[in-house]
Amino acid sequence: MKLIIDTDPGIDDAMAIAYAAAAPEIDLIGLTTVFGNTHVHQSSRNARYLVDKLGLAVPVAQGAPFAHGEDDHSPSEHVHGPEGFGDLTEIPEIGQNHDLSAAAFLVEMARQHPGELVVCAVGPLTNIADAMALDPEFASNLKRLAIMGGAVYCPGNITEHAEANIYHDALAADAVFSAPPETVLVGLDVTLKTLYKSADFEDLALRSPDMGAFLRDISRFYLKFYKEIGGLEGCGLHDSTAVIACTHDHMFDSVQTGLKVATEGKAIGATVPDETRPPVWVCRDVDGAGVVDLFTARVASLP
Ligand code: BDR
Ligand code: CA
């Protein structure tokens, strides 16, 4: 399955990219970057670093620096660290970004692979909305859009109403849900059922002494955040769960509903069922232990 991950690496983003590199049924054809956990130039640098570390030969196309209607962004440093990789702050610039912008790259790849390309968006939806605006055929050229975002039937994480990716560009998210491609939403409803614990990282590092140890090391900061703020003994495999949803439908229970996003007021970023909108698949339950095991098995096969 041809896949592009639209991403803001980011600790759980790094895990998702490693998973995609290791999964035999995934043909990763590129990464597109967006602001979110970091500024977009940091997202791109981190994405290129991961591509190199994983020995991949895939382009990284840089996308939006800000949300629609904004000209600034405050990264989630308290969650992902000052450079996006926890306590790791010296991250080399390796290679260069693709000549095309993220939105143009997404449009071009969808045109080249009509009906075949899956895009997994694990950051704010700005690039996806931009690609839809750039090419009216973009949505219909995709096989599927999988989104890590939203909290439809559960509380949010950045506010009590909103999940971080949707909150960071509520206008873009609402635009995507107003005329969505074939879409599956993998939100906090399921990703908080895939907790990855310190012992899981230690096991991964033993079995994959390079990539696994890297993920363990950058995750210490993330695990501390989950414990101090959420009282949780583990971090959600948010972005990896969305990648897994692209290939392992059977591990998820989903319902179909239209969605709108609150774009102002105290509920800004809330993902709300709206039956007047075109339906998307919303994941409501997951085999969380199965996702954790699959993630470990696949990533442990990396050096
Ligand atoms: C999402 O927000 C980001 O912090 C994570 O990378 C993930 O994509 C979880 O709400
Ligand atoms: Ca992310």
Side-chain angles (χ1 to χ4, degrees):
M1 189 205 67
K2 293 198 187 310
L3 181 72
I4 296 176
I5 305 180
D6 185 67
T7 176
D8 57 340
I11 292 164
D12 63 316
D13 301 71
M15 297 169 80
I17 293 164
Y19 174 86
E25 54 296 93
I26 293 178
D27 174 14
L28 187 65
I29 65 166
L31 300 176
T32 50
T33 61
V34 65
F35 74 93
N37 297 326
T38 56
H39 290 297
V40 72
H41 69 274
Q42 296 168 305
S43 299
S44 303
R45 176 205 58 199
N46 293 355
R48 284 185 273 106
Y49 177 80
L50 292 167
V51 163
D52 180 70
K53 193 166 179 60
L54 289 160
L56 299 171
V58 301
V60 172
Q62 178 161 295
F66 310 124
H68 286 177
E70 302 287 333
D71 58 9
D72 199 8
H73 173 64
S74 298
S76 309
E77 289 191 3
H78 59 298
V79 189
H80 293 268
E83 298 293 337
F85 283 166
D87 295 316
L88 182 67
T89 51
E90 299 292 312
I91 305 153
E93 285 278 355
I94 300 176
Q96 287 183 337
N97 294 329
H98 195 273
D99 288 345
L100 292 178
S101 70
F105 181 78
L106 287 164
V107 162
E108 185 54 34
M109 291 300 108
R111 273 186 197 150
Q112 280 184 27
H113 307 287
E116 275 186 71
L117 177 65
V118 177
V119 172
C120 185
V122 298
L125 292 176
T126 322
N127 292 336
I128 308 303
D130 289 352
M132 287 168 62
L134 196 60
D135 179 4
E137 311 276 295
F138 173 67
S140 58
N141 280 340
L142 288 186
K143 178 172 184 193
R144 191 175 240 205
L145 172 66
I147 296 171
M148 191 286 125
V152 182
Y153 305 104
C154 71
N157 57 359
I158 195 159
T159 71
E160 65 180 289
H161 305 284
E163 180 280 329
N165 287 339
I166 302 295
Y167 176 88
H168 279 135
D169 197 342
L171 284 175
D174 194 54
V176 170
F177 294 128
S178 69
E182 164 76 22
T183 295
V184 57
L185 190 80
V186 184
L188 299 180
D189 301 282
V190 290
T191 65
L192 285 174
K193 296 176 182 166
T194 63
L195 284 195
Y196 211 68
K197 305 191 169 105
S198 184
D200 297 316
F201 282 107
E202 292 301 336
D203 176 37
L204 191 66
L206 275 179
R207 295 165 66 183
S208 166
D210 185 19
M211 197 63 204
F214 170 78
L215 295 176
R216 176 201 55 194
D217 292 348
I218 65 172
S219 295
R220 289 197 175 111
F221 189 98
Y222 200 46
L223 286 168
K224 218 185 295 164
F225 169 81
Y226 270 83
K227 188 163 191 172
E228 283 172 11
I229 306 296
L232 294 171
E233 288 296 336
C235 59
L237 286 180
H238 301 293
D239 295 351
S240 301
T241 306
V243 173
I244 288 171
C246 297
T247 52
H248 289 67
D249 266 6
H250 60 279
M251 298 178 87
F252 296 82
D253 279 340
S254 311
V255 291
Q256 269 196 308
T257 178
L259 287 177
K260 71 176 176 210
V261 177
T263 54
E264 54 187 16
K266 76 176 184 354
I268 188 167
T271 39
V272 182
D274 177 349
E275 297 310 334
T276 68
R277 289 273 176 98
V280 299
W281 291 101
V282 176
C283 296
R284 284 201 75 162
D285 205 359
V286 63
D287 170 7
V291 166
V292 166
D293 288 349
L294 183 64
F295 176 86
T296 300
R298 294 280 166 81
V299 179
S301 73
L302 295 170

